[in-house]
Amino acid sequence: MKKDIDIPEVENVYVAAVKVYNESFKVDEWNAYLINDRDEAIEMALIVSKGYDNKKETSVIRHKLEKLPSKSFAKIEFIQEEVLALNNQFQVTFFADGKMFEKKYLFRKNTVNEKALREIPIIPNKGVLAE
């Protein structure tokens, strides 16, 4: 039964939106990153993302990371400016210490912007952490 499955609380794993300069296209762009600030690696990270509000919904996008070493980060996806006007949800599931972890991260609509940039774990650039 679903109620019998123990899914421990996720700690020190974050999703962040970071504005970076794209050398190929010579523009600043927003990218979503998975940050592992744990002391151990996480394995088989599955990330399901979507944007939505009351009237619009984006396609569901799925990503997989085989392994993310401790104290590191990996790019999940590019985020289009138009999508930032929607709620952006990232559901992250991964394995660590022989257990499965799961958490939903949310960027509320219009909260990813230049004024919201802050220091974030591991990544040297400023960004916005998802709730």
Side-chain angles (χ1 to χ4, degrees):
M1 300 293 202
K2 200 172 189 179
K3 65 180 171 75
D4 297 326
I5 298 172
D6 178 38
I7 299 178
E9 186 175 337
V10 173
E11 294 179 347
N12 300 320
V13 175
Y14 310 98
V15 172
V18 179
K19 196 164 202 176
V20 294
Y21 186 72
N22 183 322
E23 286 289 335
S24 299
F25 296 108
K26 308 289 186 212
V27 295
D28 286 323
E29 63 184 23
W30 289 99
N31 289 299
Y33 289 88
L34 182 62
I35 302 171
N36 179 12
D37 198 16
R38 297 167 54 100
D39 292 328
E40 58 279 322
I42 61 177
E43 298 177 349
M44 194 54 73
L46 303 173
I47 303 123
V48 178
S49 64
K50 69 176 181 178
Y52 64 92
D53 68 7
N54 294 335
K55 299 174 185 173
K56 297 179 183 175
E57 189 168 322
T58 67
S59 300
V60 173
I61 302 174
R62 293 171 178 82
H63 307 274
K64 178 179 88 168
L65 295 169
E66 291 287 337
K67 188 172 189 174
L68 187 57
S70 69
K71 307 297 183 187
S72 68
F73 60 94
K75 181 179 171 181
I76 301 171
E77 67 186 28
F78 161 73
I79 306 173
Q80 293 179 300
E81 290 282 338
E82 300 82 24
V83 177
L84 295 175
L86 304 173
N87 295 309
N88 285 276
Q89 177 181 293
F90 293 81
Q91 183 169 334
V92 179
T93 306
F94 63 90
F95 290 92
D97 301 326
K99 298 177 185 171
M100 182 179 82
F101 293 80
E102 181 178 63
K103 183 173 180 177
K104 287 183 183 175
Y105 296 88
L106 181 66
F107 293 108
R108 297 197 187 281
K109 61 183 174 179
N110 300 313
T111 59
V112 176
N113 59 58
E114 294 278 339
K115 293 178 185 174
L117 292 174
R118 304 282 184 270
E119 296 291 328
I120 56 176
I122 309 296
I123 298 178
N125 303 52
K126 290 186 177 185
V128 179
L129 288 179
E131 299 173 0

